[in-house]
Amino acid sequence: MSDALPPLPPITLGYTENELDRMSAKRGDAAWLEATFTDPRTRLYVFAGETPILRRNGERGDPLFTAKEAEAFGEPLETAFLGLANGAPRFARLVPELAKTDPNAYRIAEIKVDDPTLLITDMRTIAMTGVVEPHHLGPMAQGKSVMHWHATHRFCGKCGAQSKLSQAGWRRDCPSCGAQHFPRTDPVVIMLAVDGDRCLLGRQRRFPPGMYSALAGFLESGETIADAVRREIMEEAAVKVGQVTYLCDQPWPFPASLMIGCLAEAESRDIEIDTEELEDARWFTREECWMMLAKQHPGRLSCPPPLAIAHHLIRAFVDGKTG
């Protein structure tokens, strides 16, 4: 990084802190699971469809509910064991989606929830605003992703029969054909092409005004991470890249992806935008990227917030950690 650029404050990547002991060997032990669920230390992360439910705690939110407290949100659709937090059991529960009835009240199934101590918000807001303690973000991402999978994979992909939850929520079994189905995670490559003191950023039409980010795309079957990086950059911006370096990865519960962050060495400079994917793409200098990270860009350009892996890729470029 140039000596003229002041150091940026430390940042933390969102959803990566998850210290739960998943106890995967116990998932098939029905007696152990029953005893675990009735443990007085057991707490549940509750999701109404895609929306986590929190209890207000001053300026923050508490995402943990006892089994009795969780009953207030209606008949559970699914419940999965997530793991142990220092010996205390943690579960995720899916309840029916919210239907808003007025600015201060929600209806969950047939139960009206107008308790002013509840906080209803979304996962991005929770992570961006620090509503919950940081150690909750990883388990909440884990719970949201597996609950989404159950909500969208209720029927056997082999014969079409309705499947049933098993293995403490980490498998669905088909009673008709015997097929076993496991939660899916969709791998996504997200990458920063670097050309000396410049990096390639693009923006999609759905982005907030002025926001630019790293390019990204789903990893395809039979493809290496490096090949996916090269293909996506070529498809979206027609820039050829050579060496690809892994930087970091991140669970991304929207709905259930793994973001694989990479840096790529550009071998060409001319850009040809795929207008189906991008609204714009261009090269940015280190100084411009520093101003975007510091929210000081004179053109009011910005980049994703620190919870997103794109922010960390751009930060690594600014800090000179691209070798």
Side-chain angles (χ1 to χ4, degrees), residues 8-265:
L8 294 163
I11 52 175
T12 302
L13 186 56
Y15 311 116
T16 56
E17 182 180 345
N18 189 345
E19 297 182 355
L20 292 184
D21 182 348
R22 299 190 179 214
M23 299 293 291
S24 57
K26 287 290 190 179
R27 291 173 180 169
D29 188 335
W32 184 85
L33 288 167
E34 182 177 356
T36 298
F37 190 77
T38 57
D39 187 316
R41 298 171 298 171
T42 289
R43 297 292 184 271
L44 289 77
Y45 294 99
V46 181
F47 298 88
E50 297 288 308
T51 305
I53 301 175
L54 310 176
R55 180 190 295 106
R56 291 187 186 274
N57 183 12
E59 296 298 317
R60 310 197 80 168
D62 182 358
L64 296 177
F65 295 87
T66 67
K68 183 66 176 176
E69 290 169 339
E71 292 176 2
F73 306 124
E75 187 70 20
L77 301 177
E78 305 288 1
T79 302
F81 173 67
L82 300 180
L84 302 179
N86 295 319
R90 298 289 182 260
F91 288 78
R93 171 163 292 180
L94 180 68
V95 299
E97 292 187 9
L98 299 169
K100 196 168 185 179
T101 57
D102 64 60
N104 299 307
Y106 291 80
R107 185 173 298 278
I108 302 177
E110 296 303 317
I111 300 175
K112 186 177 181 181
V113 179
D114 54 7
D115 186 343
T117 66
L118 290 180
L119 174 61
I120 311 296
T121 187
D122 62 275
M123 285 288 289
R124 280 188 176 87
T125 299
I126 287 172
M128 289 178 64
T129 60
V131 170
V132 303
E133 295 288 344
H135 66 84
H136 286 305
L137 290 178
M140 290 180 73
Q142 177 187 351
K144 180 181 181 296
S145 293
V146 76
M147 289 297 100
H148 174 85
W149 177 75
H150 281 293
T152 56
H153 290 76
R154 297 193 180 281
F155 296 89
C156 176
K158 184 176 181 181
C159 73
Q162 186 165 353
S163 58
K164 296 181 178 180
L165 179 148
S166 66
Q167 289 290 306
W170 293 92
R171 197 175 80 198
R172 293 190 72 89
D173 294 342
C174 178
S176 178
C177 71
Q180 298 178 342
H181 305 279
F182 298 86
R184 61 177 292 170
T185 296
D186 299 316
V188 177
V189 291
I190 179 165
M191 52 276 168
L192 199 67
V194 176
D195 173 31
D197 287 330
R198 303 186 304 168
C199 73
L200 178 65
L201 299 176
R203 61 169 281 108
Q204 299 179 10
R205 290 173 180 82
R206 63 180 179 83
F207 285 2
M211 176 178 283
Y212 281 78
S213 184
L215 306 187
F218 287 101
L219 184 73
E220 295 187 348
S221 299
E223 193 172 42
T224 68
I225 292 172
D227 284 344
V229 167
R230 297 185 184 104
R231 174 181 55 78
E232 285 290 343
I233 294 176
M234 177 58 69
E235 288 178 354
E236 295 188 6
V239 171
K240 183 180 179 181
V241 300
Q243 181 177 339
V244 174
T245 304
Y246 163 85
L247 182 70
C248 57
D249 54 47
Q250 172 190 34
W252 192 246
F254 305 105
S257 293
L258 175 66
M259 307 298 289
I260 305 168
C262 297
L263 300 164
E265 182 181 341

